Amino acid sequence: MGKDKKIRVRFAPSPTGYLHIGGARTALFNYVFAKKHNGDFLLRIEDTDTERSKPEFTEQIIKSLEWLGIKHNGEIVFQSKRFDVYKNYAEKLLKEGKAYRCFCTKEEIEERKKNNPAWKYDRKCLNLSEAEIKEKLEKGIPHTIRLKLPETEIKFFDHIRGEMRFHSKDFEDFIIVRSNGIPIYQFTVVIDDYEMGITHVIRGEDHLSNTPKQIFIYKALGFEIPEFAHIPLILGPDKKRLSKRHGATGVEEYKKDGFLPEALVNFIALLGWSPGDDREILSIDEIIKEFSLERINKSPAVFDYKKALWLNGKYIAMKAAEKLLPLIEEIFRENGIELNSHPQKKEIVELLKTRVKTLNEFYQFGYYFFKEPENYDEKGIKKYFKKENSKEYLKSLIKIIEKTEPFTEEKLEEVLRKEAEDMGISAAKLIHPFRLAITGYTVSPGIFETAVLIGKENCLKRVKKALDFLDKNE
Ligand code: GLU
């Protein structure tokens, strides 16, 4: 490839399923590679398989990419709208004698292949005369189109795996257009990559075995061959191919589970690539700056859902409360809470953001700032509500809250510590049941800060309610 040629890459999903982590990684690597070289990143929907392709998958793939911030240049190319183009190229190859019509039926081929797994198509139809072909066509006998492979060795350089060599004798004259007129994937990919001006094909390693076939097609069509990079597979921590068992695999699931797109992008970028140092938190701009195909590992990437959660937690903690608020509003609304009407929403989010790993956890671990706890932690009940002095402690807490004026963090702490001292107990003896009563949990942000944000009246109500609970559960 000439040095001055603009880099153009593409992501070419088949809309036969949702966008999963593996696909998102392919898209991301293409995207950052394009950005790094001021090139274009194109999107092509490979929907020639009309039975398995579904418009809702296309829509979901596009939405997921948008959510991740992986923006494509130009119009989306749909293969299903390009059957005429593929047909023209197939005809061109037929005319030039680089492909031929094959009238062998599946059954005939099965018969000839029987008991010989190494059997390759025997070129029975290669030398049919014009007249024979004409006659069969007139009779409407279905046929496929096969590529006529020349005797040749092919080499290509893969940016990740190095030099790859293949020989045509290990391949058969494979079908490029099926008997129903639908071109096969290998054929459409080559034509589209050529017509879209793709300079680098970056895709999953599962396509490595397709590349030699595609190179035969490039050569037959006289197209310039792009460069290739095949990205290694993603495995679960048990070294088995990534699947649902290993945690969420669909991009949409991450969104639903309360991931920030920038955290997921960071996580995905590190699946098989690293910046060359031990940095683990990288913004998209940093990823673009550091990215190179050569830095992609040859060995499979290992997927660790816990790491995704950890990273997400870090990104949430780094984000300003004002930016987080609009992202969690809906989660609270679904649970009957109007976050916006709370005067101290910002302080609450600020307090919680270093403790949550997902956006959903803001509600899960922070709903008690907005409404009474729905229940008390089971272990907490045993430890702090069912002890000999539990009632006495709760009663003291009521006194403490009433006495604290103004109801500030410092004052509340001072009054509580003083009361504990007077009672001859440690402050913790009061703090634990206090936390359980006002939050329902045994852990929370700093208890005094939490109590103040919940408010004096609410704290009082909740401690009284806990006392009621104790009375009823004696
Ligand atoms: N449509 C293929 C897939 O979804 C990708 C083809 C390619 O990248 O060449 O696996």
Side-chain angles (χ1 to χ4, degrees):
M1 196 191 82
K3 280 256 170 294
D4 46 359
K5 199 161 158 187
K6 186 172 192 189
I7 281 186
R8 280 166 76 86
V9 292
R10 48 48 166 200
F11 176 49
S14 307
T16 53
Y18 295 120
L19 184 68
H20 51 83
I21 290 294
R25 184 188 58 163
T26 303
L28 179 67
F29 283 5
N30 274 286
Y31 173 80
V32 295
F33 183 71
K35 294 292 140 202
K36 165 131 199 158
H37 298 284
N38 296 317
D40 288 333
F41 166 72
L42 311 179
L43 181 59
R44 178 170 77 229
I45 302 293
E46 304 212 316
D47 53 354
T48 51
D49 183 342
T50 43
E51 259 163 50
R52 291 175 58 225
S53 301
K54 299 262 178 315
E56 57 268 34
F57 291 137
T58 299
E59 208 179 294
Q60 189 272 349
I61 292 168
I62 294 170
K63 264 210 217 132
S64 289
L65 290 173
E66 244 169 47
W67 178 68
L68 289 170
I70 302 178
K71 288 189 207 75
H72 60 88
N73 298 97
E75 296 278 313
I76 302 177
V77 174
F78 288 87
Q79 287 195 325
S80 57
K81 296 193 181 138
R82 295 175 45 80
F83 283 120
D84 285 348
V85 177
Y86 309 133
K87 197 168 160 219
N88 286 341
Y89 279 109
E91 268 158 20
K92 179 171 179 278
L93 289 180
L94 283 172
K95 260 194 221 115
E96 291 171 355
K98 291 176 178 164
Y100 58 95
R101 297 181 206 269
C102 170
F103 295 89
C104 298
T105 64
K106 259 204 187 108
E107 294 70 28
E108 284 162 2
I109 286 181
E110 282 308 317
E111 188 55 36
R112 288 180 351 240
K113 198 177 191 168
K114 220 155 73 188
N115 304 326
N116 183 2
W119 187 87
K120 293 204 299 278
Y121 182 67
D122 51 14
R123 295 191 156 172
K124 182 160 182 257
C125 294
L126 176 60
N127 295 315
L128 291 178
S129 68
E130 284 295 322
E132 281 171 305
I133 294 173
K134 197 163 167 247
E135 190 197 322
K136 286 180 194 287
L137 288 178
E138 273 166 9
K139 280 192 190 153
I141 300 176
H143 68 278
T144 59
I145 299 177
R146 288 183 184 269
L147 191 72
K148 183 180 163 196
L149 295 193
E151 248 315 294
T152 177
E153 187 191 49
I154 48 165
K155 278 195 293 206
F156 71 91
F157 178 77
D158 186 279
H159 279 270
I160 298 163
R161 313 195 59 99
E163 192 177 82
M164 311 292 288
R165 284 166 185 268
F166 297 88
H167 200 284
S168 59
K169 67 178 181 329
D170 298 320
F171 295 81
E172 64 175 3
D173 288 353
F174 57 90
I175 293 171
I176 52 173
V177 181
R178 294 194 187 85
S179 56
N180 60 6
I182 307 238
I184 64 149
Y185 150 75
Q186 319 281 3
F187 194 55
T188 57
V189 160
V190 168
I191 292 167
D192 290 342
D193 282 343
Y194 168 74
E195 291 211 337
M196 290 162 78
I198 300 302
T199 58
H200 293 71
V201 171
I202 306 169
R203 61 185 168 196
E205 200 179 85
D206 45 338
H207 286 293
L208 188 60
S209 59
N210 291 324
T211 306
K213 286 188 179 176
Q214 292 174 16
I215 291 179
F216 289 127
I217 299 172
Y218 277 105
K219 292 201 165 190
L221 289 168
F223 295 161
E224 188 181 345
I225 299 169
E227 299 189 29
F228 292 95
H230 288 90
I231 321 169
L233 293 177
I234 305 176
L235 304 180
D238 56 1
K239 304 279 148 58
K240 302 241 165 70
R241 213 181 156 147
L242 185 61
S243 78
K244 280 248 163 271
R245 283 177 297 127
H246 301 117
T249 52
V251 170
E252 193 129 281
E253 275 173 84
Y254 283 84
K255 186 175 178 207
K256 264 200 238 116
D257 290 348
F259 274 76
L260 290 173
E262 56 269 39
L264 192 59
V265 160
N266 189 155
F267 173 68
I268 290 173
L270 297 178
L271 287 171
W273 173 83
S274 76
D277 51 45
D278 54 9
R279 262 177 303 166
E280 292 207 283
I281 298 186
L282 295 111
S283 67
I284 186 72
D285 289 338
E286 286 168 315
I287 298 169
I288 292 168
K289 183 162 170 263
E290 303 295 345
F291 192 79
S292 78
L293 295 173
E294 281 65 28
R295 242 191 234 138
I296 295 174
N297 287 331
K298 281 192 185 51
S299 44
V302 179
F303 170 91
D304 180 1
Y305 186 71
K306 282 201 214 100
K307 182 165 176 188
L309 275 176
W310 172 80
L311 265 173
N312 200 47
K314 292 275 176 211
Y315 272 85
I316 290 177
M318 287 190 296
K319 223 175 173 67
E322 301 90 85
K323 294 246 167 76
L324 287 165
L325 276 163
L327 303 175
I328 56 175
E329 225 170 60
E330 198 48 42
I331 304 164
F332 278 81
R333 189 166 298 133
E334 280 164 14
N335 287 285
I337 295 169
E338 271 314 317
L339 201 56
N340 277 331
S341 53
H342 198 290
Q344 278 164 310
K345 53 184 186 287
K346 255 215 265 173
E347 288 82 349
I348 295 170
V349 167
E350 205 56 62
L351 199 59
L352 286 168
K353 73 177 194 184
T354 51
R355 297 166 183 269
V356 298
K357 298 241 173 337
T358 67
L359 294 173
N360 298 1
E361 285 182 356
F362 274 103
Y363 178 77
Q364 197 186 334
F365 298 138
Y367 78 92
Y368 54 77
F369 282 106
F370 306 90
K371 63 178 187 194
E372 280 182 1
E374 282 156 5
N375 42 39
Y376 304 115
D377 179 271
E378 283 298 327
K379 279 199 194 119
I381 293 176
K382 276 199 203 103
K383 270 168 97 174
Y384 310 123
F385 282 180
K386 293 242 159 122
K387 287 282 158 68
E388 213 181 306
N389 300 319
S390 294
K391 269 195 188 172
E392 186 200 334
Y393 294 165
L394 285 177
K395 281 181 190 152
S396 310
L397 281 163
I398 295 177
K399 259 198 330 212
I400 293 166
I401 300 165
E402 278 171 343
K403 254 204 306 212
T404 303
E405 202 54 60
F407 198 67
T408 61
E409 248 180 273
E410 299 74 29
K411 191 73 194 164
L412 180 60
E413 178 163 10
E414 184 193 309
V415 176
L416 185 140
R417 290 197 187 281
K418 173 85 182 31
E419 185 69 23
E421 210 182 299
D422 292 349
M423 291 167 76
I425 57 171
S426 69
K429 285 268 188 276
L430 294 176
I431 287 174
H432 289 308
F434 188 28
R435 173 177 286 122
L436 188 62
I438 63 172
T439 71
Y441 289 113
T442 55
V443 286
S444 74
I447 185 65
F448 303 111
E449 257 178 304
T450 302
V452 167
L453 283 169
I454 289 173
K456 183 165 179 166
E457 286 315 309
N458 287 333
C459 284
L460 259 182
K461 252 204 258 165
R462 292 181 191 187
V463 176
K464 285 181 183 162
K465 201 174 162 194
L467 206 49
D468 270 358
F469 173 84
L470 259 67
D471 282 336
K472 285 191 197 118
N473 290 281
E474 261 171 341

